[in-house]
Amino acid sequence: MTAKLELSQQQLSKKSALLGTASLFVALVPISLAPVLTKLCEREIGANAVAFHRAWIATIIFGLWCGLEAVSSQKSNNQPIEQKPLTKGELALLFCMGTAGTTYFLLWAWSLTQTSVANVALLSNLNSLFVGLVGYLVFGRRFDHRFVVGMVMAVGGAIAFELNKVQLATDQILGDGLALLTAIFMATYLMLVERLRTRFSTATIMLWRCGVTAMFLLPVLPVVENRLLPYTSMGWFFIIFQALFCQVFGQGLLAYSLSKLSSGVVAVTLLFEPVLASLFAWLIFNEEVSFYDWITFIVILLGIYLAQSSQSADKATN
């Protein structure tokens, strides 16, 4: 009986991991297109204005989503755990998560105006190293050898892929520093969302994340930006499309995957983002992809596979 129960739990764990992996890879599509869409938005308004519009639009969507969840729960007999009173610790975690998400997005958008997209992609995607390091030193997590080897391969492949595109210039030091800070706050955000997903739904977490961003930017936006609104219909289109596609769909799926996978594995899988962006450029814009690039793609994919198939990928083991 015990053996059957353990086998059933293992099958459920595998199905959960597969579902989380699938949602994460789908999320990579809008996430990989976000830098291009942000650059297009920044033709008419500044980085902070882009972040604000993306946040308030997404806040409305997730607010409606939470409302629908509340209505459906009232009609059913199953009462969700979120109806329990919030503790001060949970409120603090939600606020910290929203602050970390706000900070990493603002730093990321700002870094795109100060350095090249390749530099931002390389430095900001080092968040997997910070997730692993903080998880080991602060939370006492232990990663198996398969995960460590996979992470090293994926990070090494990502660095090798971006290295020949990186621009080293003294006037880009600020942007490079902002991109590195982005990685630190992104790692913090992933670990906080992973912890909160045991208590809150995706819609609730994203409502807090986007709501904190909008509330933080609303009073300071007139001070830090000269132009607050796009001046063409195409500018508004890119703003709305980015909010719906990148924030609601992409970041929502990312938060959902953290209920199935550990933050360490999610961070490693996100290293596929610049690869996917290059493949889109190859397919859509016919940009050249060299044999060297294909080799790095394979190395990154192998690293992600090793990390995904390790015991550390199981959220329950962490």
Side-chain angles (χ1 to χ4, degrees), residues 30-260:
I31 290 174
S32 64
L33 291 174
V36 177
L37 292 172
T38 300
K39 282 283 190 181
L40 292 172
C41 294
E42 288 176 352
R43 290 178 177 178
E44 300 187 13
I45 56 178
N48 294 304
V50 173
F52 172 72
H53 291 302
R54 175 171 162 168
W56 73 259
I57 294 172
T59 300
I60 292 176
I61 301 299
F62 286 116
L64 293 173
W65 187 351
C66 288
L68 290 174
E69 285 184 344
V71 171
S72 62
S73 67
Q74 288 177 355
K75 293 181 179 179
S76 65
N77 294 325
N78 298 323
Q79 297 298 320
I81 191 173
E82 289 181 49
Q83 289 194 350
K84 294 181 180 179
L86 292 175
T87 65
K88 292 181 179 179
E90 289 169 345
L91 285 172
L93 281 176
L94 284 168
F95 183 76
C96 288
M97 178 274 301
T99 303
T102 300
T103 305
Y104 101 73
F105 180 73
L106 292 178
L107 290 172
W108 174 79
W110 188 13
S111 66
L112 285 172
T113 67
Q114 303 296 320
T115 188
S116 66
V117 174
N119 288 31
V120 174
L122 173 62
L123 295 171
S124 63
N125 277 311
L126 294 179
N127 60 77
S128 57
L129 295 178
F130 294 110
V131 170
L133 188 62
V134 173
Y136 179 79
L137 295 176
V138 178
F139 299 111
R141 292 183 175 177
R142 295 297 179 263
F143 303 102
D144 58 10
H145 294 296
R146 189 182 184 91
F147 175 83
V148 174
V149 171
M151 183 180 69
V152 171
M153 286 183 63
V155 172
I159 292 175
F161 169 67
E162 294 288 355
L163 206 56
N164 62 337
K165 304 178 182 66
V166 169
Q167 301 173 6
L168 299 176
T170 55
D171 60 344
Q172 294 183 351
I173 293 178
L174 174 61
D176 295 341
L178 293 172
L180 188 60
L181 283 174
T182 300
I184 297 174
F185 281 97
M186 176 65 171
T188 305
Y189 169 75
L190 291 176
M191 288 185 288
L192 288 173
V193 172
E194 178 191 12
R195 183 168 181 176
L196 288 166
R197 283 299 281 118
T198 61
R199 170 75 162 89
F200 301 99
S201 69
T202 298
T204 301
I205 289 174
M206 292 305 299
L207 177 62
W208 274 80
R209 185 262 170 93
C210 299
V212 169
T213 302
M215 287 188 295
F216 174 78
L217 285 175
L218 182 60
V220 301
L221 203 60
V223 179
V224 298
E225 293 290 351
N226 295 323
R227 188 173 186 88
L228 305 181
L229 302 174
Y231 52 84
T232 66
S233 58
M234 187 58 66
W236 275 112
F237 170 78
F238 284 126
I239 287 289
I240 295 172
F241 181 74
Q242 188 193 42
L244 297 178
F245 188 59
C246 299
Q247 189 70 23
V248 176
F249 183 65
Q251 293 294 330
L253 280 176
L254 176 63
Y256 172 79
S257 70
L258 284 163
S259 67
K260 310 294 182 182

Side-chain angles (χ1 to χ4, degrees), residues 13-28 253 256-262 265-266 269 304-305 307-309 313-314:
S13 179
K14 288 182 178 179
K15 288 182 180 179
S16 179
L18 285 174
L19 185 60
T21 301
S23 64
L24 181 56
F25 272 100
V26 173
L28 282 172
L253 280 176
Y256 172 79
S257 70
L258 284 163
S259 67
K260 310 294 182 182
L261 302 169
S262 68
V265 172
V266 170
T269 308
I304 292 173
Y305 168 75
Q308 289 273 7
S309 58
D314 188 357

